[in-house]
Amino acid sequence: MPILNVTDRDGSAKQVDVTMDGSLMQVLRDAGYHIAAECGGAAACGTCHVYLDEAWLSKLPEADEIEAEMVGLLEATRPTSRLSCQIMMDDTLDGLTLTLAPEE
Ligand code: FES
Protein backbone atom coordinates (compact mmCIF):
# COMPACT_ATOMS: atom_id res chain seq x y z
CA MET A 1 0.00 0.00 0.00
CA PRO A 2 1.16 3.55 -0.62
CA ILE A 3 2.95 5.81 1.80
CA LEU A 4 2.11 9.51 1.93
CA ASN A 5 4.37 12.35 3.04
CA VAL A 6 2.08 14.72 4.90
CA THR A 7 2.81 18.11 6.41
CA ASP A 8 0.18 19.31 8.85
CA ARG A 9 -0.97 22.90 9.23
CA ASP A 10 1.49 23.43 12.09
CA GLY A 11 4.42 22.43 9.89
CA SER A 12 4.93 18.99 11.41
CA ALA A 13 5.67 16.34 8.81
CA LYS A 14 5.29 12.60 8.93
CA GLN A 15 4.75 9.58 6.75
CA VAL A 16 1.34 7.97 6.62
CA ASP A 17 0.87 4.31 5.69
CA VAL A 18 -2.27 4.00 3.63
CA THR A 19 -4.22 1.00 4.84
CA MET A 20 -7.60 1.67 3.27
CA ASP A 21 -9.26 2.36 -0.04
CA GLY A 22 -11.13 5.56 -0.66
CA SER A 23 -10.28 9.17 -1.21
CA LEU A 24 -7.22 10.99 -0.01
CA MET A 25 -9.52 12.96 2.30
CA GLN A 26 -10.75 9.77 3.94
CA VAL A 27 -7.19 8.48 4.33
CA LEU A 28 -6.06 11.73 5.96
CA ARG A 29 -9.00 11.72 8.36
CA ASP A 30 -8.38 8.08 9.21
CA ALA A 31 -4.77 9.00 9.99
CA GLY A 32 -5.98 11.58 12.50
CA TYR A 33 -5.68 14.81 10.55
CA HIS A 34 -8.37 17.37 11.24
CA ILE A 35 -10.39 17.74 8.08
CA ALA A 36 -13.97 18.79 8.67
CA ALA A 37 -15.26 17.36 5.37
CA GLU A 38 -18.54 19.13 5.94
CA CYS A 39 -19.91 18.07 2.57
CA GLY A 40 -18.90 14.45 2.98
CA GLY A 41 -16.65 14.48 -0.05
CA ALA A 42 -18.93 16.15 -2.59
CA ALA A 43 -16.47 18.92 -3.56
CA ALA A 44 -18.81 21.44 -2.01
CA CYS A 45 -17.17 22.71 1.19
CA GLY A 46 -13.45 23.13 0.56
CA THR A 47 -12.48 21.96 4.03
CA CYS A 48 -10.35 19.16 2.59
CA HIS A 49 -8.11 21.59 0.71
CA VAL A 50 -4.50 20.45 0.35
CA TYR A 51 -1.43 21.68 -1.47
CA LEU A 52 0.19 18.94 -3.49
CA ASP A 53 3.90 18.85 -4.05
CA GLU A 54 4.46 20.40 -7.46
CA ALA A 55 6.11 17.29 -8.86
CA TRP A 56 2.96 15.32 -8.15
CA LEU A 57 0.49 17.67 -9.72
CA SER A 58 1.11 16.48 -13.29
CA LYS A 59 0.88 12.83 -12.25
CA LEU A 60 -2.73 13.16 -11.19
CA PRO A 61 -5.81 13.60 -13.33
CA GLU A 62 -6.72 17.27 -13.60
CA ALA A 63 -9.41 18.68 -11.36
CA ASP A 64 -12.81 18.50 -12.97
CA GLU A 65 -15.03 21.55 -13.39
CA ILE A 66 -16.83 21.11 -10.06
CA GLU A 67 -13.59 20.77 -8.09
CA ALA A 68 -11.95 23.67 -9.92
CA GLU A 69 -14.97 25.85 -9.20
CA MET A 70 -14.86 25.02 -5.48
CA VAL A 71 -11.10 25.64 -5.28
CA GLY A 72 -11.73 28.98 -6.97
CA LEU A 73 -13.93 30.00 -4.04
CA LEU A 74 -11.20 29.34 -1.45
CA GLU A 75 -8.92 32.09 -0.19
CA ALA A 76 -5.52 30.51 0.42
CA THR A 77 -5.11 28.78 -2.91
CA ARG A 78 -1.89 27.96 -4.68
CA PRO A 79 -1.30 26.56 -8.18
CA THR A 80 -1.03 23.12 -6.57
CA SER A 81 -4.31 23.35 -4.62
CA ARG A 82 -6.62 20.34 -4.81
CA LEU A 83 -9.56 18.98 -2.88
CA SER A 84 -8.38 15.78 -1.25
CA CYS A 85 -11.88 14.30 -1.46
CA GLN A 86 -11.56 14.25 -5.23
CA ILE A 87 -8.33 12.25 -5.32
CA MET A 88 -8.84 8.50 -5.15
CA MET A 89 -6.04 6.54 -3.54
CA ASP A 90 -4.26 3.82 -5.44
CA ASP A 91 -0.78 2.38 -5.59
CA THR A 92 0.36 4.92 -8.18
CA LEU A 93 0.18 7.55 -5.43
CA ASP A 94 2.94 5.93 -3.38
CA GLY A 95 5.12 8.77 -2.12
CA LEU A 96 2.53 11.49 -2.69
CA THR A 97 3.66 14.60 -0.86
CA LEU A 98 1.22 17.21 0.37
CA THR A 99 0.53 19.92 2.90
CA LEU A 100 -2.81 20.59 4.54
CA ALA A 101 -4.06 24.05 3.62
CA PRO A 102 -5.14 26.41 6.42
CA GLU A 103 -8.69 26.06 7.65
CA GLU A 104 -10.98 28.78 6.29
FE1 FES B 1 -16.00 18.92 1.17
FE2 FES B 1 -13.84 17.85 0.02
S1 FES B 1 -14.87 17.19 1.79
S2 FES B 1 -14.91 19.62 -0.55
Side-chain angles (χ1 to χ4, degrees):
M1 291 298 269
I3 291 176
L4 306 176
N5 299 301
V6 181
T7 301
D8 205 348
R9 297 180 183 97
D10 63 3
S12 61
K14 71 173 187 179
Q15 291 195 320
V16 172
D17 288 309
V18 179
T19 58
M20 59 179 284
D21 292 326
S23 71
L24 177 58
M25 175 273 281
Q26 291 169 315
V27 167
L28 292 170
R29 282 172 57 104
D30 187 64
Y33 290 97
H34 182 260
I35 295 178
E38 290 163 3
C39 73
C45 71
T47 59
C48 66
H49 180 197
V50 296
Y51 306 127
L52 299 184
D53 181 83
E54 203 169 328
W56 277 94
L57 196 61
S58 60
K59 298 179 185 175
L60 292 167
E62 283 187 28
D64 65 17
E65 195 176 330
I66 293 170
E67 180 184 355
E69 194 172 313
M70 184 65 240
V71 169
L73 296 174
L74 300 173
E75 290 180 9
T77 55
R78 297 179 184 171
T80 60
S81 287
R82 292 294 303 266
L83 300 179
S84 59
C85 68
Q86 300 302 300
I87 297 171
M88 294 301 127
M89 286 305 310
D90 64 33
D91 288 342
T92 66
L93 299 185
D94 184 35
L96 179 67
T97 302
L98 63 102
T99 301
L100 271 64
E103 291 180 286
E104 295 189 19

